[in-house]
Amino acid sequence: MKSSRTASPTFVILLLLLTLSTCLINIHASDQQEQTSSPTLRRLSSFQQSYTHLIPSDQAVIRHGRRDIEASVKAHGWPSTIFSPLCEAWAYFEAGGSIGKSKDDTSNNNVRDNVSNEASWRYLDALVEKGGIPALDAWIGDSNNVDPDGSSNGDSSWTYANSTKLAIQSAKSSSGSLDENLLPLALALRAHMPHCEMHRSLARDVAIHFGLYNVVARAEPPAAFCVLSRVSTEKDDEKQTVLWDTKVLADAALLPPALKVLEGVKIKQNEMEVNYASLLMPLPEESYHPDITRKNIDDDDFMFEEEDAEVKKGPEETVAILYGQVGTTAFASFYKALMESKVKFVVRHMGHIAYEEEMQASEQHGHGTLSSTQSLASRAIPTALQGYGVRLDIRNVEYKAFDDGPNDKAKDGDSEQSQPDWNDSEHHPDHPARNEYLAGINLKTIMERLDAEADTDAPLPKDLQALQTALLQSHPAQLSSESIVPPAWKRRSLSLQAATVIAYSSDPLETLKGISQNLPSIAHSLSSVSVAESLKTLAEEATDVAAKVGAVSPGWGDAAFGFYVNSREVNVERPSFNVFQLLDVLREEDKKLRDLEGTVRPMLEKTMGVLMGEGRGKGKAFNILKTIRKGMDMGVEKLVRFGKKKSEALVTDQDNEDYDEDEAETSGSSTKKYRIDVGRGGKKAVLYLNDLEKDPEYRSWPNVEEMMMRMQFGQGPTVRRNLFTMLIVLDPASGNVHPAINVLPHLVNSQFPLRIGLLVVSRQDATQKKPSKPGPWNSGNRPFHARDSLILMRHISKRYGGMAAMSCLINVFQPHSEESPSVGDYIHNHVSLLSQIGVFPEDEEADVRQEMELLLKSPPIDDGYEDAFEFATQKMISPGMSFFNGIPFPDASESAFGLGVNEVLRYEQQHVMSLVMQGAITDSKPRSVYANLLSGDNCYKQYHPALRGSEVEYAPMLTNVNDLSLIFPSTNNPVDIRNVDAFFVVEAVLNFDTIDGVNAALNFFDLMQSAPARWHSSKTVSVAFRIVSNPRNGGVNGDPSKASGYASLFCLASRFNIKTLKRAFEIMHENKSFLDAWNSFRTSDEFDEETSQNLVDAVSKMPRCSNEGTLDKDNYYTINGRVYPIEGPFGPFLNEEDIKMLLSVEMDRSIGMTRLISPKFLAEPGKVDKSTDESTILAVHNAIVLSATALNHVFSTSAAAKSTPSSRDSFSGIVEVMDSLGSSRERNPLYFSWNEESAKKRLQVEISVICDPLTEPTQRVAPLLLTIRDSLKLPLRLMIAPRQVVENDLPLSSYYRFAIDPLALPDKNPPTALFSNLPSNHLLTVRMDVPEPWDLQQAFAVQDADNLRCDARYGCGDEAYLLAKAGGEVPEGSLAPNGRIELTQMEYTLKSLLFFGQCYDSSTNSPPNGLQLTLDRSKLKGSSLSHAVGEVQVESDGSTFGTVRGDGPESPTSPHDHTDTLVMKTVGYWQLRANPGIWNLQIEKNSRGAEIYHMVDGSVSQSGRLSVSNNASEFISKSLVMKDFSNHGQILLVKRNKGHETSKLFPEDSNLEATHNEGNEVVHVFSLATGHAYERLLKIMMLSVTKRTKSPVKFWFFENFLSPSFKSSALYMAERIGCQLEFVTYKWPEWLRGQSEKQRLIWGYKILFLDVLFPLDVKKIIYVDADQVVRGDMTELWNLDLEGAPYGYTPFCDSREETLGYQFWRSGFWKNHLRGKPYHISALYVVDLERFRRELVGDKLRATYQQLSADPNSLANLDQDLPNYAQHDVRIFSLPQKWLWCESWCSDETKAEAMTIDLCNNPLHKEAKISMAKRIISGELFEESWEELDAEVERYYQDFLTLRQ
């Protein structure tokens, strides 16, 4: 059974057929039924009774057959051929090369940086070795002879399945353990089809451009061709691609002469723009074949003529792009020729580039789009996709007849005619099995599946007769129960009851899938299952565990749900779950495990060989490896906490009165940001300007409890507690204002609970490390000094209060010129300011000035400056620094100061508020919040240079170093490794060709010789050193032997004392060659004979330990892998304090890793007593540190997975939970595991899941778990954690399917989402659940996907729908039910993919909201070809003539080749649609934004901080590549142009005066609808607007919910009636809270995205509801002056008195909120889009929506309530009442004046829209009645059908 297809709910869910002849589910379950040992099952014997009624074999129990609904998704614009699997397998491995890398890693445009991905090339090598496949060669010719009707005489023996098999076989040499199973799944899902489609689009453009393909003649292009380009990658000392010449070859034999022609190029013929180079040169992320290593042409081969002197000679080379049909002879020939020529080349799959023309021809011949059921043997078909979900919601749930009473048996929509009562019926003994689905089972079909040769037409055996009878009797009851919702009191235990059924199932995963995806049909039966008390207890424990590890689903009442890959959480709950990202996560995790095992396992086996004997201990080594893997799963924070379980906290000085011994961190977790303890020791040094807890001015501020209540209503965190402390280190005399001071006014004015501290220190004193004093007073003319500032600030704060001092701080400390102001001027400025703000009367200024002068003339002895200086020195801080609760702000000199401040403020506010919410901070505890925060894991005593800088980097584990390379300081005595708390290795990786490298090595020796006996005061720390040679150019001083000598010497360093090792190094350095050094060792009298010989042996023999280019750096230090470049704060000279600081930074990690790993080494029998043995110490020390280094590297690279919502740093303990459950001796019926045997020999990715069975995330995940178990065969562990009580309505009110079929084939077994055996009485609506980058539209549907229902007379399927629509009598026999499946089919098309991301102004870290962006597809824009396509001349070298410039042919332009949008204020979000290919993103050329901004290169740190270097590249456009389904979002950074530092995108003086439409301007009308009924009304509205409006009209319809038949027929009608029509679409952003109800989703689209929905040149729009008919000229509304408002709405009528009581806005909340403003109706409104965009109305509405929608009971009428609620912030212009008349609210007397008639619902009675329209829109007030308009629309539709036929 395919996993993407779900059989009957009852069959799958309740195990109706456990054993065919003996067992059956009792679907008549009642409250009084007798319980059996299995609470959900009854024996067949319980059905034994006297049957009295025999059913004729030709009489059907089912009236209309089985109701099935099938949905599918295709990319109709992407052709699939028999070549597709070959390309997609290659793309799978190509994508694997970037696994674990961020997009920034591949952003370099330098063509020479293309790194080879060996797996993808090994795959191609294997394919090419097979030569051309004859069937594939034949396909090229056959596809060129396809008739318009799709027929072909081609050979059909080669199928898509053959190509898939070939791809998998060829991939064996490239596959890892996971790839063997994941590749077939990826091919079935078509996961990498976008990559191949991108290549096809590029190949098509190139082929058309160079005349290899003629779109008119449609001559098939060659099976392979090659683009050769001569390029230079340097120009004017900048990396920039310059194209010199290009040749295009169609024959591999012509490659050598073409290369010679290019080698002879001496004149630069063309310089290609980067935007278009993608077609002629490899992309940065494309990889070259790894075997091509030599340069194509030596630099000396180029001789420049004098006239070319302006072109600098750079590293020129020839690169090639091979386009081809992979698997053909032509491709193999080109591939081999390029390999032989040693040309760097990349491969792009050519694909079927004639597909567009074939589709067009097929449509012209009346065949529509190419069907996916046509043969792939001779032509291309649309690509059938998987990886999406389909939801069938039951509509009108509020009208459902709930079974709330014991005798109430009502059911929903009982429109069927009464059925016979089969309760006393019996299957006739002489009849065969019935061919129909009864109780979800077709017995005849099952018998055929069990035995293909069985005679199913023969009478049934006796036992099966009884089974058939039971099914007959059960079926009517099942139909009834499927539509009855159990009463509320019976729904409370549904989750427990579902868990019970799963627990007793023979296949829990299939049962879980069936229950979760079909709950509406089985809820009634499920509610009768009894639950054992023991299971209730286990369920309660499971939910507690789920809550403890954070596996909860907030959207489902905190029901349990968590999905983990290893320990990495994957957010399956996200609104747009992306299964393709899950595949990426699996590959990322697998790569980490393979890297870990590949590097660590050999080292562990070697170590265990030392401990246990050569060749022994491999099993033990693997056990240790699994422990290390456990550490990887734990993550950093959990590992640190693990180490602290047996470790006491570090001792800290407690010298401040705020810091008592009992102060401890109460948060319970370590923070990600480190802190500096700038509190302790600063009592006399730091001047605090305020104290919120003590100062009287803060007494009126709320306490903590009051603050929390206020924050619920959107107020700030104002509170009478010192929650936040900012310390500013400054030197007012330096002339530079500290940027942190500029942050203060905003925080203070917003009543932010901030305490401000000043540390005043002279910058010069800090540099000279000595405090100075001011010069002589000199009548106040001497320069003022930092000491003066400190004295004055203390005086002002004490005399006049902290607020006065704060005012001086903000306003007086301003930048000044190079000449410092005098101390007299400084005093004057303070006195003047204090007088201005009213601190003292103006007549006291002289006295105050005199007092201050006296104070500075004769300062107090203890003025506090020395304390401040000493504190700054002790803490290693200096002016320009600032700290927020100890977290450093960026240095004042950094250009990114503003970015960092915002990040720190946001982070710390969230952290502190979380402590408040947890109760860790109250009004009384802790005594000092500041002291509490300045303790814990990541708080350091000093701001050591090691803590500064940008991102932390960890080097990979060195694989070619050994334990003998470790050097222990001479002062350290051997330690008992059993008692070591932490192991460290300090490594110096050095290039001895550099002065820094040599100096660092000599310093290293000195450091080791003078090392302290203890490195830590309270911890037993074992520290070893290692020097690693890092030759960068193949040798030292050009001598490879010398480099090897260094490597060998340090590889055996432990054999020598440090003094000997240092001298040996000096001798190596002093001698120019290795031979000289070798002789010196032999002849030197500095060593004894034995030492000399040992040195000679050491430098001459293996092993050799070197870096092998692990990092692209010359010289750096590492501490357990953490990298500190020598170019950083240390330079080449480390001291003891530096080492101690470096150790402290890594101490917590090392303790955790030591406590995790070391016991595994020391648990060997007979080895514990050797814990002080030198070999054991070396081996264990080296192994533990190398393991820690490997783990640190894994943790640091996990940021590549930051597209997922969480990481190992937020480890939840899921692995520990599952381990404990798996190892328990007592079986837990709610815990299941599979495939665990596969993880006993190698590390494997493990999947862990906790779920409540009745949640939407479980619906999604259940089929995924089946695929993981059965197809990927990964270890899988599942814990069912049901809720004890289900509150309110059904936990699930929809059916669900997820399309993931590993066996799907596009031609023989196309994937679909199939719903089988659905109840016939439900009205259903379809809701698609697709990945975020998908822009999905409906392509085919016979029925109304918004209202799927069964007709009582005709049935449920598409055929029945068409019969019902045609009317008349039912044709005899047309509805014969026997074995019939009533099938409803729907097909959706992937119209495009989405680029989305965030845009930020790099100088402010804020979005440039309103910035206009455009996206255009990269294409060749012509060439110097002077001839028409099809007449291309071929030169003697086989290439086409010419380069890429001129006015040659272009690829046909698609209307989808350009799109535009605006940047939103919220998170800087932007969204643009694109298809696979290369695209150029740029700021709209003629916009205001292009004047102000340009794009810049930048990076995003792991912490999310944006940074732009001072020499960052500036560019006009950014190249984006669309090649996968896993778009992680793009970051776009812009920078202001010179002269526009303060310019605004929307200047206040811009003219937005309304222009009067004289009749020529187009009136733009917007509307949206869903369902056939509203589409009918929409066409009538469209017709009425066009008829009544004098100006040209263009309609903009939102297409997301429109049927394909409407879109095509509406376009035809628009052309006939003389208007324009265009469709717009937008994808609801994932960060904006979504809506689950389809109607509310439509309301949201109606109002929330008006600023980005339309092209930027649309300046105004009028929205008209679909159910309106227009009587007036819309030009009048278009010209209406909105008086400066962004939009205008019509207020609700109040002239119909009988409905006034229903106008809720007249009282209560709305009355109070509106404060006299009218409540407007949203059925019609006009929007001034220019003002709307300028005033950021869209952002304001989205922000208000996000706030209000947090309450599910708010915004009942979303599209209407939202603008009315927001009108105090966004003004609404009230349109005249005549613009909207509605019978429900407006009197009949006002109808004559109405310009539009709206068919709004009447609260007094329900009336169908159509009957209402016929009644209201008729009579003398209308030129045409509604029925006449409807008839006209129908005529256009019939004309359209005739034309299409």
Side-chain angles (χ1 to χ4, degrees), residues 1249-1306:
V1249 178
I1250 299 178
C1251 70
D1252 182 301
L1254 304 186
T1255 65
E1256 281 191 3
T1258 303
Q1259 287 182 318
R1260 281 175 171 168
V1261 83
L1264 294 176
L1265 297 183
L1266 282 165
T1267 302
I1268 289 168
R1269 183 191 70 181
D1270 300 336
S1271 297
L1272 300 184
K1273 303 185 186 306
L1274 293 175
L1276 171 62
R1277 299 184 289 187
L1278 169 67
M1279 184 172 74
I1280 303 296
R1283 283 164 286 179
Q1284 294 290 311
V1285 176
V1286 175
E1287 302 290 349
N1288 302 322
D1289 294 336
L1290 276 177
L1292 296 173
S1293 59
S1294 62
Y1295 300 90
Y1296 186 83
R1297 299 292 182 269
F1298 192 85
I1300 179 169
D1301 183 358
L1303 304 178
L1305 293 171

Side-chain angles (χ1 to χ4, degrees), residues 839-980:
V839 174
F840 49 76
E842 186 176 347
D843 56 4
E844 294 182 8
E845 280 192 29
D847 295 337
V848 174
R849 182 180 295 106
Q850 184 177 1
E851 182 182 19
M852 291 185 180
E853 288 176 352
L854 182 62
L855 187 64
L856 296 185
K857 278 182 185 180
S858 304
I861 297 177
D862 185 16
D863 59 16
Y865 182 77
E866 274 71 19
D867 295 319
F869 174 81
E870 183 179 350
F871 183 75
T873 303
Q874 176 190 354
K875 299 296 181 181
M876 302 182 74
I877 57 181
S878 58
M881 298 180 181
S882 49
F883 303 85
F884 191 72
N885 280 356
I887 301 175
F889 279 152
D891 192 83
S893 61
E894 295 184 27
S895 60
F897 179 84
L899 308 181
V901 166
N902 291 337
E903 178 194 342
V904 171
L905 291 175
R906 182 169 55 250
Y907 170 87
E908 186 62 4
Q909 184 171 346
Q910 291 175 353
H911 175 64
V912 172
M913 287 301 110
S914 69
L915 296 179
V916 173
M917 298 300 292
Q918 294 167 15
I921 296 178
T922 66
D923 290 320
S924 58
K925 69 173 187 179
R927 189 160 67 87
S928 170
V929 175
Y930 196 36
N932 180 269
L933 293 170
L934 295 184
S935 58
D937 301 328
N938 291 335
C939 189
Y940 300 99
K941 295 180 181 180
Q942 298 175 318
Y943 195 22
H944 193 275
L947 297 172
R948 305 174 199 174
S950 54
E951 295 301 316
V952 176
E953 181 180 13
Y954 285 89
M957 188 194 94
L958 296 175
T959 58
N960 57 344
V961 296
N962 57 27
D963 50 0
L964 297 178
S965 63
L966 294 181
I967 309 169
F968 284 94
S970 56
T971 55
N972 289 167
N973 297 320
V975 295
D976 185 342
I977 56 178
R978 293 173 300 182
N979 300 323
V980 173

